[in-house]
């Protein structure tokens, strides 16, 4: 009963009704339904709550899941939607090295004459020449291909 003492979950009647609707309609993701069931089981506003082990066994989750859902409920300030929904990333994990300027330089290079001894540009040849250019970050041939395909640029 540690998580109930540290972070008690108190739901309003409207929140409780909405969580019941989420768990019974079955039109949501399994993890969202599971977190809604956990919140309903941890709700202290309807009376005494079972032990953590009993709740975990009844719902079919671990005690750690109960702790994490209660913690997220407390962190979101009691917002039920933010607790049961997926966390959205603010930014992509790694910023793309391809900016508008890099894209323009790459397309200009692909549209120019190929080096002597070559009839046309290939993706791997472009990759080698991009590595030699100081103002363009090193790009893989598959990244170069995606940029050219995005702009309907055909290597001929």
């Amino acid at each position: 009963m540690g998580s109930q003492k540290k972070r008690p979950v108190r739901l309003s009647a409207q929140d409780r009704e909405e969580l019941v609707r989420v768990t019974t309609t079955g039109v949501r993701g399994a993890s969202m339904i599971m977190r809604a069931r956990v919140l309903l089981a941890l709700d202290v506003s309807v009376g005494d709550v079972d032990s953590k082990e009993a709740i975990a066994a009844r719902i079919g989750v671990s005690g750690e899941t109960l702790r994490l859902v209660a913690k997220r409920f407390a962190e979101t300030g009691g917002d039920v939607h933010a607790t049961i929904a997926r966390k959205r990333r603010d930014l992509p994990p790694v910023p793309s090295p391809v900016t508008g300027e890099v894209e323009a330089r790459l397309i200009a290079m692909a549209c120019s004459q190929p080096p002597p001894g070559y009839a046309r540009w290939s993706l791997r040849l472009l990759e080698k020449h991009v590595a030699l250019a100081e103002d363009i970050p090193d790009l893989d041939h598959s990244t170069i291909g995606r940029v050219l395909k995005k702009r309907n640029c055909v290597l001929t």
Side-chain angles (χ1 to χ4, degrees), residues 32-88:
M32 183 180 277
I33 293 172
M34 179 268 309
R35 286 190 290 268
R37 285 182 180 153
V38 168
L39 282 179
L40 287 170
L42 292 176
D43 185 18
V44 296
S45 64
V46 293
D48 288 336
V49 178
D50 293 338
S51 69
K52 192 160 99 171
E53 294 80 18
I55 292 172
R58 185 174 68 229
I59 298 176
V61 297
S62 67
E64 182 68 7
T65 301
L66 294 177
R67 186 187 71 78
L68 290 174
V69 171
K71 178 181 174 188
R72 184 152 178 213
F73 183 76
E75 287 173 352
T76 59
D79 185 7
V80 174
H81 295 291
T83 304
I84 65 172
R86 286 184 62 193
K87 290 182 186 176
R88 295 290 178 199

Side-chain angles (χ1 to χ4, degrees), residues 13-47:
Q14 181 182 1
D15 288 341
R16 208 172 160 69
E17 180 181 312
E18 183 148 350
L19 288 175
V20 168
R21 193 174 325 115
V22 166
T23 59
T24 56
T25 57
V27 293
R28 304 291 165 88
S31 59
M32 183 180 277
I33 293 172
M34 179 268 309
R35 286 190 290 268
R37 285 182 180 153
V38 168
L39 282 179
L40 287 170
L42 292 176
D43 185 18
V44 296
S45 64
V46 293

Side-chain angles (χ1 to χ4, degrees), residues 80-112:
V80 174
H81 295 291
T83 304
I84 65 172
R86 286 184 62 193
K87 290 182 186 176
R88 295 290 178 199
R89 270 196 301 223
D90 292 335
L91 299 171
V94 178
S96 175
V98 180
T99 61
E101 182 181 332
V102 171
E103 194 173 312
R105 295 274 316 201
L106 186 61
I107 291 171
M109 187 181 291
C111 291
S112 68

Side-chain angles (χ1 to χ4, degrees), residues 2-21:
S3 67
Q4 287 92 4
K5 290 180 183 177
K6 286 183 187 175
R7 297 180 197 92
V9 175
R10 292 192 202 306
L11 299 174
S12 66
Q14 181 182 1
D15 288 341
R16 208 172 160 69
E17 180 181 312
E18 183 148 350
L19 288 175
V20 168
R21 193 174 325 115

